Amino acid sequence: MLIRKEDALEYHAAEPAGKVSVVSTKPCSTQRDLSLAYTPGVAVPCLEIERDPALVYKYTAKANLVAVVTNGTAVLGLGNIGAAAGKPVMEGKGVLFKRFADIDVFDIELNTKDPKEIIRACQLMEPTFGGINLEDIKAPECFEIEQELKRTMNIPVFHDDQHGTAIISGAALLNALEIVGKRADQVRVVFNGAGASGIACAEHYMRLGVRHENILMCDTNGVLYQGRTKGMNEFKQRFAQHTDRRTLADALVGADVFFGLSAANCVTPEMLKQMAPDPIVFAMANPDPEIPYDVAVAARPDVIMATGRSDFPNQVNNVLGFPFIFRGALDVRAIAINDEMKLAATRALAALAKEDVPDAVRRAYAVEHMQFGREYIIPTPFDSRVLIWVASAVAQAAMETGVARQAVDLDQYRERLQRRLGKANEITRIMIHKAQRSPRRLVFSEGEEPKILRATQILIDEGIAEPVLIGDREKIARLARDLHLHLDRAKVVQPASSPDLPVYTEQLYRMRQRKGVTRNEAGALILNPQMFGAMMVYMGDADALLGGITHHYPETVRPALQLIPLKPGLRRVAGMYMIITPRGKVYFLADATVNIEPSSEDLAEIALEAAATVRGFDIEPRVAMLSFSNFGSTRHPLSEKVQRAVRIVKQRDPNLQIDGEIQADVAVTPGVLQSTYPFCTLKDGANVLIFPSLEAGNVAYKLLMTIGGCDAIGPILMGMSRPVHVLHRGAEVSEVVNMAALAVVDAQNGSSPGPATRESSPRPTAESEPASA
């Protein structure tokens, strides 16, 4: 994936700078809160911890806090760039810890190359952290540092550069060997790269059954052999063999497995052809592997290949390891991460790859089939089951080997892990990957806006959509140059000079002539970019329309309502927002944008359409019809209106989980529902909230965003026969991308009856035109 320098710098510089922040987990809004958070109340837990040091895990954040420690001497592929320059990477590591395992991180950059100073700094920080993740420290110093910290500290210490790749690739190796029918103790393995990761991988493979004498390791000076002195150290010496092979090409003759952690394109097709039948090739150099995937497969069709890249099968990504390994270690308060815990993580990943892959995971990677085999030997990073499988396996191994200070019931622990899984990022990524599966022509009515142009670049780069920009061609080209964008693949349409203008004008006149529009007025109206874009969708020249970043909602949606019919059987459109809470819960709110005073029939229609839309996100809808009354507690025409709506929905879709009328707080609180209203069908609480009026819905979603700190995706326009979606004014680039993906998926799902043609397009009459127009 192409990432431009400007995009990366803007991403990191946007306020607040960097990628991490500290968020209070306790309220601090009153004098009493302040007195509890700090003096005098804070003295009480201090004294309790003094009395019993183990209580630090109960009264502080230590149990969920990891230090990511570096000195910047071996940062990614950048080398020795120093502690401060390595900070963005360490913050990124913290983001991954939080995103995948809900672990908090402080990144610690130490301005020293002295291993003893790093060791001492970590030892002094032991009271603060539940674990230490060593990162990007060069070999051989990293070996000394980790060994001494593991010997002297009573919290888990883990050097991810060494063990992360070993654990993940070890799972891939076990499964690859099973597929080709070979045994670990019989295969010959060649390693290219004798740094921290290469040596750790070799040692881990030996624990998995590979025999020491069957390993040949190479570095930049060739094979490690007995008697070699150039570039050797005590750690490399352990893998020096009695052999007459001297080069990587020599080593690969007859080898069963190649493992590369070295440099791009150092393996040739000829070398691959000298390997044993059914070779296993793990080419892990980043960003370009030791041999390109397509070249390797062409040279050896029988190869099983893995890389570190996400655009090829079998990605070996360390994010499959460290977050979940620390999760399991922290949750049992382990004093170390031992070899048994690493093996447990490897075997859990290998076993998970053989399980049936959920549809949501397949859709996230835009594939119809994903099952155990040559192109799927390891789970994918966005498979949320990895947290449960790996963390629980690591915790179990810690308890069985005596390094856990706290025992957990594994069944209950898995339930806890399940609750940690948030839906927010998962939903947006699933939507993007769905769009990538079959990109559609997406019209942007505000094609001259810089945010739209920047989003367009992302849509092109990631293959999410085929953007069509309405605007002045020269202005768009100039803006693209100023923004360092490459939009050659985006189609630009200038309405005034479009060859379709006469046809569109005549079509608009025919559709609106009995609505008071003259032919001359139609000629002027069609030049409105929103009207022109809607006509493109109507005429089948585009698949979806997105606009609104610089306009008010009515100005954006009205032209589309005047041209595009509603779905069959519907009387009006409605707007829905996806709300994602700071804790990752997801709710859908409707109607928040269109219908001011909906009737019972309108509310029922909105509820049914919202439920159908929510299912498109792979979420089962649980619908609450909201009011100020709970199940008849207050008799009033407004609450009775909602009651009637519930009855209508149940008649039309008896299988939909829906109830009401119900107050909002009760609807989302399972405990209250189960204790006070046991007859309510929403036992687990509602995730789709249908408001009795536009006023209520609009106020609610804006308060949730501004006061509640929630993220919102939308508005999602429901009910149109063809995909038309609206951005909120001032939307950010990421929001434009998300809404674009949603519009594309809407088109894929057949929101429209299929691409129209000038010959076959249905011609709305005055009677069929949307009532909201």
Side-chain angles (χ1 to χ4, degrees):
M1 182 185 301
L2 176 65
I3 297 294
R4 278 168 296 280
K5 176 181 178 181
E6 293 83 1
D7 292 339
L9 292 177
E10 181 180 353
Y11 175 86
H12 286 81
E15 289 293 334
K19 299 189 287 282
V20 295
S21 66
V22 176
V23 178
S24 174
T25 61
K26 301 295 187 293
C28 191
S29 55
T30 67
Q31 182 61 43
R32 184 175 186 275
D33 292 341
L34 185 59
S35 297
L36 288 169
Y38 202 55
T39 185
V42 73
V44 178
C46 290
L47 293 173
E48 287 294 294
I49 295 168
E50 181 188 33
R51 178 182 60 81
D52 180 0
L55 291 176
V56 69
Y57 287 96
K58 180 177 181 179
Y59 295 122
T60 76
K62 176 170 178 154
N64 198 51
L65 188 61
V66 167
V68 173
V69 179
T70 189
N71 67 348
T73 53
V75 178
L76 295 177
L78 305 176
N80 182 6
I81 62 174
K87 184 173 174 60
V89 177
M90 304 311 124
E91 288 187 356
K93 196 83 171 186
V95 170
L96 298 180
F97 265 108
K98 190 66 177 178
R99 161 63 180 85
F100 289 97
D102 196 25
I103 292 172
D104 297 319
V105 163
F106 287 161
D107 56 290
I108 308 293
E109 292 77 30
L110 300 175
N111 191 23
T112 179
K113 296 181 181 178
D114 186 342
K116 292 182 173 55
E117 291 187 335
I118 297 173
I119 291 168
R120 186 57 180 152
C122 291
Q123 291 170 334
L124 291 171
M125 292 188 294
E126 182 170 350
T128 301
F129 295 102
I132 302 284
N133 182 96
L134 299 172
E135 192 76 18
D136 292 347
I137 301 172
K138 75 180 183 72
E141 290 88 340
C142 60
F143 299 114
E144 174 190 347
I145 292 167
E146 187 189 40
Q147 287 176 359
E148 182 62 14
L149 291 179
K150 290 173 68 174
R151 187 185 68 83
T152 58
M153 298 182 74
N154 284 315
I155 59 174
V157 177
F158 185 81
H159 185 203
D160 185 46
D161 300 311
Q162 290 185 59
H163 310 298
T165 305
I167 290 166
I168 314 308
S169 67
L173 177 67
L174 290 179
N175 283 338
L177 290 174
E178 179 178 327
I179 291 169
V180 300
K182 296 181 181 181
R183 290 174 42 180
D185 61 353
Q186 294 178 344
V187 293
R188 287 189 50 239
V189 183
V190 175
F191 286 87
N192 195 44
S197 186
I199 290 173
C201 287
E203 291 175 340
H204 191 66
Y205 284 15
M206 288 168 58
R207 290 190 286 268
L208 292 171
V210 175
R211 298 172 63 182
H212 179 272
E213 59 267 30
N214 287 345
I215 294 175
L216 282 180
M217 186 171 288
C218 305
D219 62 8
T220 54
N221 295 306
V223 175
L224 307 187
Y225 60 88
Q226 289 292 336
R228 196 186 109 174
T229 57
K230 185 178 180 180
M232 297 296 286
N233 57 48
E234 60 176 301
F235 304 101
K236 291 182 181 182
Q237 189 61 44
R238 296 205 297 264
F239 290 95
Q241 301 284 10
H242 291 285
T243 179
D244 59 359
R245 304 190 188 208
R246 293 294 181 265
T247 67
L248 176 60
D250 295 340
L252 283 173
V253 175
D256 299 284
V257 180
F258 168 76
F259 190 94
L261 282 162
S262 49
N265 301 311
C266 62
V267 174
T268 65
E270 290 69 30
M271 293 181 188
L272 227 57
K273 291 175 181 178
Q274 299 302 310
M275 293 182 69
D278 291 310
I280 297 168
V281 175
F282 294 169
M284 305 303 302
N286 261 322
D288 298 313
E290 283 79 0
I291 182 170
Y293 182 89
D294 52 348
V295 173
V297 172
R300 290 296 300 262
D302 59 340
V303 70
I304 293 182
M305 186 163 178
T307 69
R309 295 178 56 136
S310 61
D311 49 350
F312 297 115
N314 302 322
Q315 182 191 19
V316 176
N317 190 324
N318 279 22
V319 79
L320 281 168
F322 68 85
F324 315 112
I325 293 164
F326 268 100
R327 181 76 275 158
L330 291 174
D331 289 341
V332 295
R333 298 182 190 172
I335 61 173
I337 295 174
N338 57 28
D339 290 341
E340 290 81 3
M341 295 160 74
K342 298 170 192 172
L343 287 169
T346 289
R347 291 181 177 127
L349 285 169
L352 179 57
K354 300 174 188 176
E355 294 290 308
D356 182 58
V357 180
D359 288 341
V361 176
R362 298 180 193 180
R363 284 191 288 269
Y365 285 86
V367 295
E368 286 286 350
H369 303 289
M370 185 180 285
Q371 60 184 17
F372 182 64
R374 288 175 175 265
E375 293 190 349
Y376 182 71
I377 58 176
I378 191 170
T380 60
F382 284 98
D383 189 335
S384 59
R385 300 173 301 168
V386 177
L387 171 64
I388 298 167
W389 282 63
V390 174
S392 60
V394 169
Q396 181 176 3
M399 292 187 290
E400 291 175 349
T401 56
V403 298
R405 285 178 287 199
Q406 174 177 280
V408 296
D409 178 282
L410 286 172
D411 290 334
Q412 294 179 5
Y413 179 53
R414 292 186 185 99
E415 286 295 319
R416 283 170 49 198
L417 293 171
Q418 187 73 45
R419 290 194 295 270
R420 285 188 181 273
L421 293 175
K423 286 283 186 182
N425 291 331
E426 181 179 344
I427 287 173
T428 55
R429 288 311 304 172
I430 286 174
M431 194 59 55
I432 287 172
H433 286 305
K434 280 183 176 182
Q436 289 170 325
R437 180 178 177 180
S438 180
R440 300 299 172 93
R441 299 166 298 173
L442 175 61
V443 179
F444 287 100
S445 57
E446 297 148 308
E448 298 174 0
E449 288 300 311
K451 286 183 180 178
I452 296 297
L453 296 179
R454 289 165 52 209
T456 295
Q457 185 72 74
I458 295 171
L459 297 174
I460 292 171
D461 290 346
E462 298 194 12
I464 297 170
E466 298 174 8
V468 179
L469 303 171
I470 296 181
D472 181 271
R473 189 171 282 103
E474 291 184 3
K475 182 176 180 180
I476 290 173
R478 184 173 65 253
L479 285 168
R481 286 194 300 271
D482 293 343
L483 294 168
H484 305 287
L485 303 176
H486 303 282
L487 303 180
D488 297 340
R489 289 163 55 195
K491 180 179 179 180
V492 178
V493 175
Q494 196 163 328
S497 59
S498 169
D500 292 319
L501 182 61
V503 176
Y504 286 8
T505 301
E506 183 62 24
Q507 180 63 35
L508 177 60
Y509 172 62
R510 288 203 300 265
M511 296 172 70
R512 302 297 294 175
Q513 60 187 351
R514 293 184 179 272
K515 295 289 185 177
V517 176
T518 67
R519 194 181 301 275
N520 286 339
E521 288 171 337
L525 287 172
I526 198 64
L527 295 177
N528 176 346
Q530 191 69 22
M531 184 71 78
F532 196 92
M535 185 62 80
M536 289 183 71
V537 174
Y538 175 79
M539 297 294 285
D541 296 325
D543 301 304
L545 173 65
L546 185 59
I549 198 170
T550 62
H551 293 86
H552 291 293
Y553 190 90
E555 299 170 8
T556 303
V557 75
R558 186 177 295 113
L561 292 172
Q562 292 173 348
L563 298 182
I564 297 176
L566 302 185
K567 290 181 180 178
L570 296 187
R571 302 184 309 141
R572 59 185 61 245
V573 297
M576 182 172 72
Y577 274 91
M578 180 196 300
I579 297 293
I580 304 164
T581 72
R583 293 187 175 275
K585 290 188 176 181
V586 179
Y587 297 95
F588 297 86
L589 279 57
D591 178 8
T593 59
V594 180
N595 298 285
I596 297 175
E597 293 183 1
S599 65
S600 296
E601 181 71 28
D602 296 334
L603 288 174
E605 194 173 280
I606 292 167
L608 289 166
E609 191 65 17
T613 303
V614 168
R615 288 192 183 101
F617 290 97
D618 298 314
I619 295 175
E620 188 60 30
R622 304 186 303 274
V623 183
M625 304 293 282
L626 301 183
S627 180
F628 54 83
S629 171
N630 286 316
F631 307 107
S633 63
T634 301
R635 297 185 63 83
H636 189 278
L638 291 177
S639 60
E640 291 168 356
K641 177 182 76 170
V642 178
Q643 291 172 3
R644 289 193 298 272
V646 174
R647 291 195 293 269
I648 294 170
V649 173
K650 288 184 175 180
Q651 290 172 357
R652 295 183 182 176
D653 187 355
N655 296 320
L656 178 62
Q657 192 177 160
I658 183 171
D659 219 329
E661 87 289 12
I662 187 172
Q663 293 177 359
D665 57 334
V666 176
V668 297
T669 311
V672 175
L673 287 169
Q674 293 167 15
S675 62
T676 309
Y677 304 103
F679 56 84
C680 179
T681 60
L682 302 173
K683 302 301 183 185
D684 296 323
N687 57 7
V688 180
L689 306 177
I690 306 300
F691 289 84
S693 69
L694 176 62
E695 185 177 38
N698 193 270
V699 167
Y701 97 80
K702 289 184 176 178
L703 285 176
L704 285 168
M705 289 176 62
T706 55
I707 296 177
C710 297
D711 292 325
I713 297 177
I716 302 167
L717 191 61
M718 306 181 297
M720 304 289 285
S721 63
R722 295 177 190 170
V724 175
H725 289 285
V726 183
L727 299 164
H728 68 83
R729 294 189 75 189
E732 296 300 324
V733 172
S734 61
E735 295 172 314
V736 177
V737 172
N738 288 339
M739 287 299 295
L742 188 149
V744 169
V745 172
D746 200 3
Q748 293 171 348
N749 290 341
S751 174
S752 68
T757 66
R758 287 179 173 78
E759 291 73 25
S760 64
S761 293
R763 310 299 186 191
T765 65
E767 290 73 27
S768 66
E769 186 180 325
S772 304

